[in-house]
Amino acid sequence: MDVHVTFGNKRVLRGASLAVVRGSLHVLLGPNGCGKSTLLRVLGRQLAPAAGSARTDGPISFVFQNPDHQIVMPTVAADVAFGLGRYTLPATAVRAQVAAALATVGLAAVAQRPTHTLSGGQRQRCAIAGALAQAPKVLLLDELTTFLDGGDQRGVLEAVRACVGGPDQVTALWVTHRLEELAYADAASFMDGGRVQVTGSPAEVAEHMRRLGARW
Amino acid sequence: MNSTRARLLCFAVTVGTSPARPAKEPLEARLLMSFLNLTSVPYSSYVPAPRTALHDVHAVIKQVWLLLLLLLLARASLGARFALAAATAALSAVALPPGLWRPQLRRLGGLAALLFVFTAIGADGVPPVLQPRSVPPGIEGLPGVSPAAGGYRYVILHLWLITVTRRSIALAVSAASLTFVALQSASLCLTTTPPEELAGALRTLLAPAGLLGSPVADIGLTLLLSLRFMALVFDEARNLALGLAARGVAWSQLGPGGSLQIAMRLIARLFANLMLRSESIAVAMTARGFAGPAAHVVHPMGDRPSSPLANAAALALLAGVAACIWSFS
């Protein structure tokens, strides 16, 4: 609520306020430099705001734009299990968590493959599986489809869509530039100038952006 | 229409029969293109399929094999060294897919051959300037040394400046076989073992050092991250090389000094990019809950445990090879 973030003399967030419905996929749109990723980092507790506060369910998992930075283990299954390394868990529980996460994103068949042999979309889905294995309540997803082609983009969106809601009421906040991704959202917001300008249904946000001159 | 076709035909004939040979590319351009033509990391990474008997051997046993092979090579006779190198090459051909072992053995064989030739020529070919090679005046007038029985000759070949001796041949075989076996056996181990298991095996073997305060967990994690990001370093270098090739640099006009300057800038840029990536990776690791190697468990997620039969066979073979070399050395 009313989050302010300043980098040096530059005010990146100027009172950004956002409420996301639990168990929904919420898309956050906006032009370059409007503060979308900064707001995500505040919500992920990677950045302390200068003023205002952020309140989310927990645990939170963050998925970054470039999967090459997020995937730290040489093979797929071991990477998905990496986030569980901080807990003291029996091997059977780890295997079950990893298998479930890989099945959700459709990568069960490549569990033993070296990560550097995956395609861009598969790598991004592997990063999502790594986040899911930690059984998060909130998924923060930062421009996952920037480097992907149409097919991989759909695969990643469908993987995220499959994780949202369910008995655990997983919530996902998806930052993107691609307007067509609104079709997968339950709700959306449009940011500009360090503030959330509009929040509503995907159709309402799309209409607002059309009025601003956006086309797709 | 007909005139256009005739012109095209004339052009095709001219192109097809042109006697002009293309100008030879400068060395820098050829090096750049040969790097860009590499399709994968020059050194090996894990290959899960097809699964071979080597995949079923425990990672600790493979690392013991690697260590003992080097020790045995140091003690083996020339013939045994050559036999060990040949056995490593044969095992690679059996265990790895042809698309993998052929280029590997070609490159490594070339390197070993080069090492052999240069060591054979250079080890005894240049006499030390300060050491007198002529007979001391005090013993002049003695009868000449009679030829050795059985045709023994220390100097095997002497041709103008090139001198090859028994000592240089022994040294060349040692250097070439040691290089070949060390690199190819490590490559076999890397291609048939998941990196997480290799790091786990290293931690197991170094555990006694941990009692003395060595940072065993840090060493294991460093190995694991090195194996993971080797491909990333290669990709980063390749992207920079691709950018350079796309600019169409006139290497012949730059000369050696200019080429060296570009190479140094490229290396500096590569390190800067890798540092940036390292920072991003560190942020992502922290976001995933990593709080240091000692506080973090790496779960090996291999789908098949090692086979007791394969482990026993590998240990028995190692004992047999060691016994042979020990008794014949």
Side-chain angles (χ1 to χ4, degrees), chain A residues 46 64 68-75 77-86 89 94-95 98 112 114-116 130 134, chain B residues 45-46 48 195-196 224-225 228-229 231-232 277 280-281 284-285 287-290 295-303:
Chain A
Q46 293 174 15
F64 294 86
D68 278 337
H69 299 161
Q70 177 136 5
I71 296 174
V72 289
M73 287 290 111
T75 48
D79 183 74
V80 175
F82 180 79
L84 301 174
R86 61 177 147 164
L89 292 171
V94 173
R95 284 185 181 274
V98 169
Q112 297 304 321
T115 46
H116 74 267
Q134 297 182 61
Chain B
S45 55
Y46 176 54
E196 296 83 12
L224 203 51
L225 293 180
R228 158 68 183 98
F229 292 110
L232 197 75
R277 279 186 179 254
S280 304
I281 291 161
M285 282 175 76
R288 293 185 71 184
F290 180 76
H296 203 92
V297 180
V298 174
H299 295 283
M301 298 295 294
D303 55 348

Side-chain angles (χ1 to χ4, degrees), chain B residues 3-59:
Chain B
S3 64
T4 310
R5 191 177 293 166
R7 250 181 257 144
L8 280 174
L9 192 66
C10 176
F11 173 73
V13 168
T14 312
V15 168
T17 58
S18 171
R21 292 175 63 187
K24 198 179 177 186
E25 291 275 347
L27 176 68
E28 296 90 335
R30 277 182 284 148
L31 283 175
L32 193 63
M33 287 316 292
S34 60
F35 179 64
L36 286 174
N37 283 336
L38 291 174
T39 52
S40 61
V41 186
Y43 211 59
S44 309
S45 55
Y46 176 54
V47 180
R51 199 170 172 88
T52 63
L54 283 180
H55 286 81
D56 291 333
V57 177
H58 198 279

Side-chain angles (χ1 to χ4, degrees), chain B residues 218-240:
Chain B
D218 295 45
I219 294 170
L221 188 78
T222 305
L223 171 70
L224 203 51
L225 293 180
S226 310
L227 292 171
R228 158 68 183 98
F229 292 110
M230 196 162 56
L232 197 75
V233 173
F234 175 70
D235 283 346
E236 193 64 55
R238 205 160 182 272
N239 287 342
L240 285 175

Side-chain angles (χ1 to χ4, degrees), chain A residues 71-205:
Chain A
I71 296 174
V72 289
M73 287 290 111
T75 48
V76 172
D79 183 74
V80 175
F82 180 79
L84 301 174
R86 61 177 147 164
Y87 308 114
T88 309
L89 292 171
T92 47
V94 173
R95 284 185 181 274
Q97 287 279 87
V98 169
L102 284 172
T104 306
V105 300
L107 286 184
V110 296
Q112 297 304 321
R113 278 253 302 267
T115 46
H116 74 267
T117 63
L118 300 178
S119 71
Q122 284 176 321
R123 279 183 218 190
Q124 202 56 277
R125 282 190 279 153
C126 177
I128 295 169
L132 281 181
Q134 297 182 61
K137 290 284 185 190
V138 177
L139 272 173
L140 301 175
L141 312 155
D142 191 8
E143 301 192 30
L144 302 197
T145 53
T146 304
F147 303 128
L148 304 183
D149 61 20
D152 279 340
Q153 180 194 16
R154 274 193 299 282
V156 170
L157 277 160
E158 281 160 12
V160 171
R161 194 62 257 186
C163 327
V164 172
D168 294 333
Q169 287 290 287
V170 176
T171 308
L173 182 56
W174 173 281
V175 166
T176 185
H177 281 294
R178 293 184 166 185
L179 304 181
E180 70 272 18
E181 291 172 358
L182 274 174
Y184 290 82
D186 296 313
S189 296
F190 174 73
M191 273 187 84
D192 199 10
R195 287 165 181 259
V196 176
Q197 303 288 347
V198 176
T199 294
S201 68
E204 286 165 351
V205 173

